[in-house]
Amino acid sequence: MEGSSSKYFLATLLLLHALTSHVGSTSAARVIEGSSSTDFIRRSCGITTYPQLCFTSLSSHASTIQTSPMLMAKTALSLTVSTAQSTSGMMLKLSQTHGMKPREAAAMSDCVEEMSDSVEELRKSLSEMGQLRGLKYQLVMSDIQTWVSAALTDENTCMDGFAGKAMNGNTKNVVRGQILNVVHMTSNALALINKYASIHG
């Protein structure tokens, strides 16, 4: 009876050891996988004009991106759409405030329109990212690249409207600060999209 108890105890210990080893190896694999994804994002961001912004904005999405150039480009574009939308809304509210100089008001009105166009172009691009397959891949990718490039042009045009000494003041500082962030994010997204296109093509 005592021998049976010892065998049962030993078997239980071996089972527990096996389970613990499995859990440990699984946890280690997750750490390695997470580290691999983060390293992939850091390396991929190296091709962008603003790598630090690229990494800080995308590293929290490592579990989604993993090591996929397509998912990285799509995530970057999705974050850019969200940022552009919130900035566009802020610009609309600013345009409705009183006390702006005539030139500021005109530049703000143009900027609201340009940011609205940018958001629409970015939205269309993000929607088309889900259609990148089959025989139409090249055509769809070309459309995406064109729309994101157009969005970047609209954003820069908005910012240019507040250039020059005649536009000094709080309005200029607020607008340029907000738009500059969107410009940088759009530029990074376009770089990652172009990189994915070059790999796939």
Side-chain angles (χ1 to χ4, degrees), residues 164-179:
K165 294 180 180 179
M167 298 294 283
N168 285 341
N170 290 333
T171 302
K172 173 183 176 177
N173 293 336
V174 170
V175 171
R176 285 180 66 85
Q178 292 294 321
I179 300 300

Side-chain angles (χ1 to χ4, degrees), residues 8-195:
Y8 176 75
F9 179 70
L10 181 61
T12 303
L13 280 178
L14 289 172
L15 180 61
L16 284 172
H17 176 71
L19 287 173
T20 304
S21 299
H22 175 70
V23 170
S25 63
T26 302
S27 298
R30 284 176 183 164
V31 170
I32 293 169
E33 182 182 347
S35 174
S36 174
S37 299
T38 304
D39 288 343
F40 168 75
I41 292 170
R42 191 186 301 278
R43 287 195 309 273
S44 299
C45 283
I47 65 158
T48 67
T49 308
Y50 311 99
Q52 188 57 45
L53 173 63
C54 174
F55 181 73
T56 54
S57 62
L58 291 172
S59 57
S60 60
H61 300 273
S63 60
T64 298
I65 295 169
Q66 299 179 30
T67 56
S68 166
M70 190 275 283
L71 290 175
M72 184 159 179
K74 188 174 182 179
T75 303
L77 186 55
S78 178
L79 292 173
T80 303
V81 170
S82 297
T83 303
Q85 283 177 326
S86 61
T87 302
S88 180
M90 186 206 74
M91 296 300 297
L92 183 59
K93 287 180 181 178
L94 275 176
S95 71
Q96 296 166 348
T97 58
H98 300 287
M100 281 191 290
K101 300 172 184 176
R103 186 171 175 180
E104 287 178 334
M108 185 66 77
S109 177
D110 290 342
C111 195
V112 167
E113 183 177 347
E114 285 147 4
M115 283 306 299
S116 177
D117 289 344
S118 172
V119 168
E120 183 59 28
E121 287 151 354
L122 291 170
R123 277 178 179 165
K124 286 192 296 187
S125 301
L126 183 59
S127 176
E128 288 296 290
M129 284 291 285
Q131 308 303 317
L132 283 172
R133 63 178 71 89
L135 297 175
K136 291 187 176 181
Y137 172 87
Q138 293 293 347
L139 178 61
V140 173
M141 176 55 81
S142 178
D143 286 342
I144 291 170
Q145 291 169 308
T146 299
W147 286 329
V148 178
S149 295
L152 188 58
T153 299
D154 286 328
E155 294 156 10
N156 276 308
T157 302
C158 165
M159 200 164 60
D160 289 344
F162 288 87
K165 294 180 180 179
M167 298 294 283
N168 285 341
N170 290 333
T171 302
K172 173 183 176 177
N173 293 336
V174 170
V175 171
R176 285 180 66 85
Q178 292 294 321
I179 300 300
L180 194 61
N181 184 51
V182 181
V183 167
H184 290 178
M185 290 193 71
T186 305
S187 170
N188 284 349
L190 181 58
L192 294 171
I193 289 167
N194 289 341
K195 178 64 176 177

